[in-house]
Amino acid sequence: MSVDPRVSIHPDSSVLMAAIAARLITKLVDVQDKFGEATVVLTGGTVGIGTLKAVADSPAAPAVDWSKVNFWWGDERFLPGGDPDRNTTQAFEALLSHIPVDPERIHEPGTSDDFGSPEEAAEDYAQRLREAAAAEHAADMSDDRPEEPAALPRLDVVLLGVGPDAHIASLFPEQGGVREKERTVVGVRNSPKPPPLRVSLTLPAINTASEVWMVVAGEDKAGAVGLALAGANPVQVPAAGPRGTSRTLWLIDENAASRVPQQLVRKDAAGA
């Protein structure tokens, strides 16, 4: 069951990224206490990568058992491995190369070195998500274990940036990806933001996550944030679509918050 979003506003992007990093460290520790491992879906962009760097720089980072964190990505550019424009390359530089991760738990979307099209890479990524879900299902000894494995593993936190056009992951306004109802991963062509070829989780996949965190900074994003929080149609405003099953957080700076409907801003927002 999805829940209405909460909005937490921070003075500027630097404070915002440090706050998201602290929140993420705490969340991963809590999830590991409960399940023994944790799964996070990363995002690119200035705030997404800046947050990862803030995690790496945090004195609290060793509180997480990084060898038991599963890393996935919400989207990726369909480029050669190691390309500096790939979200995964930037994530390694900012965080993953600085912490004791288990390489088996890092799930990069396929590269153009390995696949002939973004659609092939998308199907491979969807298959690996299914395999992770099946392994999780097999390890679940609880009485309420479902009879069949899901198409996705448990996603504890999904981080999402928002573009000035209100796109999230690589789901762009009016394009086929944001309209997808069945598949968990899609290949993207003709992205209005270069590069044109990408791989992206879909809204149905994103919305299986326990918590979705929308991480946004900058005045150029204010219109998109305002429309999303006002309840726009996700086909026109993809950022209006994500909803976590237990929590949806908009973690934004004051510049991005200038058009947020006031009734959505909690009095305790800055520290919530």
Side-chain angles (χ1 to χ4, degrees):
M1 180 178 177
S2 63
V3 292
D4 291 335
R6 290 193 63 169
V7 181
S8 181
I9 300 170
H10 298 78
D12 58 44
S13 61
S14 296
V15 174
L16 172 66
M17 291 183 287
I20 300 168
R23 188 187 287 269
L24 182 61
I25 290 167
T26 299
K27 180 64 179 178
L28 293 176
V29 169
D30 289 346
V31 172
Q32 287 183 336
D33 283 346
K34 183 175 182 181
F35 296 109
E37 62 179 27
T39 299
V40 61
V41 177
L42 302 180
T43 186
T46 303
V47 177
I49 300 302
T51 293
L52 297 185
K53 187 176 187 309
V55 170
D57 293 342
S58 171
V64 178
D65 182 350
W66 294 108
S67 70
K68 294 184 178 178
V69 178
N70 304 302
F71 294 95
W72 299 84
W73 276 262
D75 72 318
E76 185 55 284
R77 288 89 183 270
F78 188 63
L79 294 168
D83 190 288
D85 283 341
R86 277 179 65 89
N87 293 331
T88 48
T89 304
Q90 296 175 24
F92 268 94
E93 291 177 357
L95 175 64
L96 299 180
S97 63
H98 304 286
I99 55 176
V101 294
D102 178 354
E104 297 280 320
R105 292 178 182 264
I106 299 174
H107 305 281
E108 297 187 39
T111 71
S112 60
D113 298 323
D114 300 319
F115 297 96
S117 71
E119 290 78 15
E120 291 175 27
E123 177 50 41
D124 170 76
Y125 202 47
Q127 176 61 29
R128 285 190 280 142
L129 284 160
R130 286 191 292 271
E131 289 169 357
E136 192 173 88
H137 182 268
D140 183 0
M141 304 301 292
S142 65
D143 294 336
D144 59 352
R145 182 179 79 161
E147 289 188 13
E148 297 294 330
L152 294 155
R154 188 191 73 249
L155 304 179
D156 299 306
V157 179
V158 171
L159 299 170
L160 292 171
V162 176
D165 63 351
H167 81 268
I168 48 106
S170 285
L171 305 178
F172 293 91
E174 303 284 359
Q175 292 201 353
V178 76
R179 300 175 187 270
E180 178 62 43
K181 303 292 188 187
E182 302 296 330
R183 289 177 292 175
T184 58
V185 189
V186 290
V188 176
R189 294 178 180 268
N190 301 317
S191 161
K193 180 181 179 183
L197 303 182
R198 295 157 177 254
V199 174
S200 182
L201 294 184
T202 61
L203 278 174
I206 290 166
N207 289 347
T208 67
S210 174
E211 297 196 8
V212 173
W213 300 1
M214 313 291 287
V215 297
V216 195
E219 193 171 356
D220 62 327
K221 314 288 180 66
V225 171
L227 286 170
L229 284 167
N233 186 320
V235 173
Q236 286 80 41
V237 181
R243 287 288 188 276
T245 60
S246 67
R247 205 172 195 206
T248 308
L249 294 176
W250 282 78
L251 305 171
I252 61 181
D253 73 353
E254 288 186 357
N255 287 329
S258 60
R259 300 188 192 178
V260 172
Q262 284 304 303
Q263 68 270 22
L264 294 179
V265 179
R266 306 287 182 101
K267 289 183 179 179
D268 62 344

